[in-house]
């Protein structure tokens, strides 16, 4: 396994150990023959290519250069490696800050030698769990590696996790070819959002870095959150503790300034996820014959979740918020399109000032009134 450069085995997180742990613990994918696996990969690539035209035509978003953002069909370990690279890039300022703070404490040398490895193992446990659940992902802040190329000029990469797609299509008992295209439509919408709106990536990165710069969290408290999540995975939390109202990672690091930033980030993520769901439903009937059945079964699966363990981890990792983002964002997009049409909705992409606020996500009419206000007579 290749490393991620720099001081991978020192500092707050041993990233190489996180990858090694996740790769070792990751569940095997569904049972498929070698020929069937090749066929799935080839079909997902074809669907990703076809989805580009479907999505851009439906959304009326520009057909500009996609910055050569690659489509990568990966297995679960491949998803882990890609996400560790992305996490390391985006969290670097926060971890450096925490490392400096820890350096002033007694016993920091011992913590440095042991803490990074412990955290690497626990982060690897979490990633192995998540790697079996993600169907696809547009990696916005993806650094290129030898194994995982990324687009030039700030472009990201589109990941499709083949074993998870096959697992879910079998679990839901839906038509495989339709389901694979349906998934690609959602992920291609995210790629279109970022390639057709050149300022969006830098805006999001700026907000995230401002959020992290405001963080004033004790390193040990941060590590305890990772440990809590890992113990949930291992069944190490006391019975009933899953429902104690414990705080998520996101809630843990909030300062007053961060709450404002987080509100803006939540609104943007709700917009992006809701738009992808809206497009998937809009394009679906014309190209995915069984879209109604797929949507109904997938919504039931998304709402139901799985075990109490799943619920506890979703809460700790903030994933319950993501489920609300799909619902609230899709409702916002649908309401705005009904009021001002697709072109009127697309004014949302004009600049950061035309993005909806968190309050406007809940009240789409307020966004329409603000962005489409008519000059007084």
């Amino acid at each position: 396994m290749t490393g991620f450069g720099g001081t991978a085995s020192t500092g707050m997180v041993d990233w190489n150990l996180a990858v090694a742990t996740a790769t070792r613990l990751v569940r095997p994918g569904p049972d498929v023959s070698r020929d069937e696996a090749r066929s799935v990969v080839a079909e997902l690539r074809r669907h990703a290519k076809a989805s580009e035209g479907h999505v851009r035509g439906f959304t009326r978003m520009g057909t500009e250069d996609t910055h050569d953002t690659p489509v990568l069909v990966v297995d679960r370990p491949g998803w882990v490696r890609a996400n560790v690279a992305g996490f390391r890039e985006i969290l670097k300022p926060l971890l450096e800050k925490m490392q400096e703070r820890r350096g002033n404490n007694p016993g920091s040398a011992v913590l440095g030698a042991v803490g990074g490895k412990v955290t690497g193992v626990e982060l690897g446990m979490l990633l192995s769990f998540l790697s079996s659940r993600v169907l696809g992902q547009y990696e916005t802040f993806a650094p290129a590696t030898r194994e995982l190329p990324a687009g030039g000029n700030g472009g990201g990469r589109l990941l499709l996790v083949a074993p998870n797609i096959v697992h879910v299509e079998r679990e839901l008992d839906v038509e495989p070819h339709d389901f694979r295209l349906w998934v690609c439509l959602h992920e291609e919408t995210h790629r279109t959002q970022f390639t057709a709106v050149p300022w969006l990536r830098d805006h999001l990165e700026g907000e995230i870095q401002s959020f992290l710069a405001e963080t004033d969290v004790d390193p040990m408290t941060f590590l305890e959150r990772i440990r809590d999540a890992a113990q949930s995975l291992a069944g190490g939390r006391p019975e009933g503790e899953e429902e104690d109202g414990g705080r998520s990672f996101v809630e843990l690091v909030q300062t007053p300034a961060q709450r404002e930033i987080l509100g803006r980030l939540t609104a943007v993520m709700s917009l992006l996820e809701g738009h992808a769901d809206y497009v998937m439903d809009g394009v679906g009937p014309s190209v995915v014959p069984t879209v109604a059945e797929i949507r109904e079964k997938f919504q039931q699966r998304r709402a139901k979740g799985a075990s109490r363990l799943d619920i506890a981890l979703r809460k700790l990792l903030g994933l319950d918020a993501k489920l609300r983002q799909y619902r609230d964002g899709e409702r916002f997009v649908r309401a705005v399109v009904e009021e001002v049409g697709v072109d009127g909705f697309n004014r949302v992409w004009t600049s950061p000032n035309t993005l909806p606020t968190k309050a406007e996500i809940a009240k789409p009419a307020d966004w329409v009134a603000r962005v489409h206000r008519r000059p007084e007579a």
Side-chain angles (χ1 to χ4, degrees), residues 177-179 181-182 185 280 283-292 294:
H177 307 293
D178 285 3
F179 184 73
L181 177 56
W182 189 73
L185 290 170
M280 203 162 52
V283 175
S286 63
V287 297
V288 181
T290 60
V291 65
I294 291 172

Side-chain angles (χ1 to χ4, degrees), residues 266-284:
T266 299
V268 174
M269 298 312 296
S270 296
L271 170 69
L272 298 179
E273 295 294 357
H275 185 232
D277 267 10
Y278 175 80
V279 171
M280 203 162 52
D281 285 347
V283 175

Side-chain angles (χ1 to χ4, degrees), residues 28-42:
D31 186 21
V32 296
S33 69
R34 186 180 297 272
D35 286 345
E36 185 179 3
R38 286 198 190 100
S39 175
V40 171
V41 169

Side-chain angles (χ1 to χ4, degrees), residues 161-211:
V161 191
N164 296 349
I165 293 172
V166 172
H167 171 79
V168 173
E169 71 193 25
R170 291 179 178 179
E171 178 187 314
L172 298 181
D173 189 25
V174 292
E175 210 289 318
H177 307 293
D178 285 3
F179 184 73
R180 294 165 195 175
L181 177 56
W182 189 73
V183 170
C184 288
L185 290 170
H186 183 100
E187 303 309 330
E188 177 57 39
T189 302
H190 288 317
R191 182 162 71 155
T192 296
Q193 290 162 347
F194 283 95
T195 56
V197 185
W199 55 263
L200 184 57
R201 179 190 184 278
D202 289 342
H203 172 71
L204 263 184
E205 184 174 22
E207 292 279 57
I208 291 170
Q209 291 307 332
S210 295
F211 182 88

